[in-house]
């Protein structure tokens, strides 16, 4: 943020954002907590829909036993199960497949980050098939959310699952 191409000197120690491309990325970023909660709330049900028993996973049982309140992390809406971040974060990373950089159309315009698809309706339609493919990584990692959440392969797998859904491969 301190680069002159991104921001300019404001009052005192403050800087003012002047790069419209960075501003467009921030417009996407502020939507991510809501989308995290959306995936967080949907994941257990869709995991079970694909033949699993989410509540029987040791990490899920342990997490839910320790907490009386079952709330999504950002919007604090009631959820059926608390989920380890290691299970959810790669799916949120996969949202990157729905983002694109639009190039300027006019001489004074700027490249900007936009959604290629409206994420919530798109997730409504495709998250089931994405989760069906994504959870195949759980067995090799022993259903350990620490291992899943720290593995670069989990993130790449989730991103690839989104790309397959975008290509119409369900």
């Amino acid at each position: 943020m301190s680069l002159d191409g991104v921001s300019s000197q404001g009052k005192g120690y403050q800087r003012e954002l002047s790069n419209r491309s960075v501003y467009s990325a921030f417009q996407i970023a502020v939507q991510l907590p809501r989308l995290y909660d959306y995936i967080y709330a949907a994941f257990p049900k869709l995991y079970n829909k694909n033949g699993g028993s989410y509540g029987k996973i040791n990490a899920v049982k342990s997490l839910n036993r320790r907490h009386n309140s079952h709330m999504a992390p950002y919007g604090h809406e009631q959820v059926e199960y608390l989920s380890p971040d290691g299970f959810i974060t790669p799916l949120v990373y996969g949202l990157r497949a729905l983002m694109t950089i639009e190039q300027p159309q006019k001489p004074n315009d700027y490249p900007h980050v936009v959604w290629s698809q409206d994420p919530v309706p798109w997730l409504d339609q495709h998250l089931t098939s994405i989760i069906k493919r994504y959870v195949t990584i759980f067995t090799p990692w022993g259903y350990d959310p620490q291992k899943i959440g720290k593995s670069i392969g989990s993130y790449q797998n989730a991103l690839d699952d989104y790309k397959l859904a975008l290509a119409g491969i369900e």
Side-chain angles (χ1 to χ4, degrees):
M1 290 297 296
S2 62
L3 295 174
D4 288 333
V6 175
S7 64
S8 57
Q9 185 64 45
K11 295 178 182 179
Y13 292 108
Q14 295 179 349
R15 295 195 57 92
E16 294 183 20
L17 181 62
S18 57
N19 185 303
R20 296 176 76 189
S21 296
V22 173
Y23 178 78
S24 72
F26 283 147
Q27 288 179 308
I28 296 287
V30 298
Q31 298 173 49
L32 294 178
R34 177 180 55 92
L35 293 168
Y36 187 104
D37 279 359
Y38 180 88
I39 293 169
Y40 189 95
F43 186 75
K45 178 181 171 188
L46 296 178
Y47 180 91
N48 291 341
K49 185 177 180 178
N50 283 306
S53 295
Y54 193 69
K56 292 183 179 180
I57 298 172
N58 286 336
V60 174
K61 281 194 289 192
S62 175
L63 180 63
N64 283 273
R65 268 196 301 254
R66 288 181 296 181
H67 299 278
N68 294 329
S69 174
H70 291 184
M71 304 286 201
Y74 297 102
H76 305 291
E77 294 177 13
Q78 189 73 28
V79 293
E80 183 178 1
Y81 290 104
L82 296 176
S83 295
D85 290 333
F87 290 170
I88 306 300
T89 306
L91 288 168
V92 175
Y93 174 82
L95 289 168
R96 165 175 185 215
L98 303 180
M99 298 174 200
T100 189
I101 298 174
E102 286 190 353
Q103 295 303 320
Q105 301 297 317
K106 301 174 187 169
N108 291 335
D109 211 352
Y110 57 96
H112 53 282
V113 182
V114 296
W115 292 110
S116 63
Q117 308 285 327
D118 187 356
V120 172
W122 191 88
L123 287 170
D124 282 341
Q125 187 174 354
H126 299 285
L127 193 56
T128 300
S129 64
I130 289 168
I131 289 173
K132 183 177 186 175
R133 281 189 295 275
Y134 168 70
V135 299
T136 61
I137 64 168
F138 281 33
T139 302
W141 289 116
Y143 293 81
D144 184 339
Q146 292 291 326
K147 291 178 181 174
I148 292 167
K150 292 178 181 175
S151 167
I152 188 71
S154 300
Y155 292 84
Q156 188 59 52
N157 183 63
L159 181 61
D160 291 345
D161 294 341
Y162 276 79
K163 289 178 179 178
L164 286 169
L166 275 168
I169 302 170
E170 303 284 333

